Amino acid sequence: MADHFRKLIQDGELAPRDPLPSVAEMRAEFAVAAKTVSRALGVLKSEGLVTSRGSLGTVVAKAPMVITGSDRTARMARNGRQYAPGEDSTDHRVMRRSVHDGAVCRAIELEPGDEAVIRIRTFRQDGRPTSVSLSVYPPRTVAHVPELAAEGRMTAGFFAPIYTERTGREVTEGQRTGTARQASQDELNALAIDAPQHMAVAVLVTEVTFHDEEGPIGYWEDVYAPGTKMPISRTT
């Protein structure tokens, strides 16, 4: 039950302040005892996804969590929603740059100094910056999807379906990893964090590389503002 409603919240099917079904309705829908419903709601409350609102019952919490770029793409594939309720993106930038970051070069098999297309945007929830997303595409990817180098906002999940359609090669997502590091000044500015120059601000960073049968075709990185809550994918 908790998984069911967690997914609805993450997918934007349930928006902040939307009510969940009553206990009686949940018991009937899932054929469980009242105690099971109470336990499921307790799990969701402990995760900060829902809250009690007196006569309104249990409602979705305001801005409960932020998801990664690859999760956003998966959500759009499921229900067509580019943004969750209250979410938008701003400061979209597209550039061709020489890449010198060793981790990025290794991820998409570039030599330091090779040129790639870099796309950057800031995601917001209710007007508050929550994450800065960066995607890097090597020349062979851009050759098949030149729209990646065009200015302006792109629809989430655009590049993988179009790439497959034009090349006949399936796109697979690698293992997403997370690490903490010191934020750059550009990241602090994008996340609207006003910190003294001598102060180190730690941010959580998630990274994932996309591949086809011939090798890597794209690298995505999400940088989250301190205090942002995000879901961690389960492993089996």
Side-chain angles (χ1 to χ4, degrees), residues 138-153:
R140 78 178 186 95
T141 304
V142 180
H144 294 294
V145 190
E147 295 93 331
L148 292 168
E151 292 288 340
R153 182 178 305 181

Side-chain angles (χ1 to χ4, degrees), residues 58-81:
T58 301
V59 302
V60 178
K62 183 179 179 181
M65 64 173 59
V66 175
I67 64 174
T68 66
S70 54
D71 283 337
R72 188 175 291 106
T73 298
R75 178 183 65 197
M76 188 170 182
R78 288 192 296 270
N79 62 16
R81 291 178 180 266

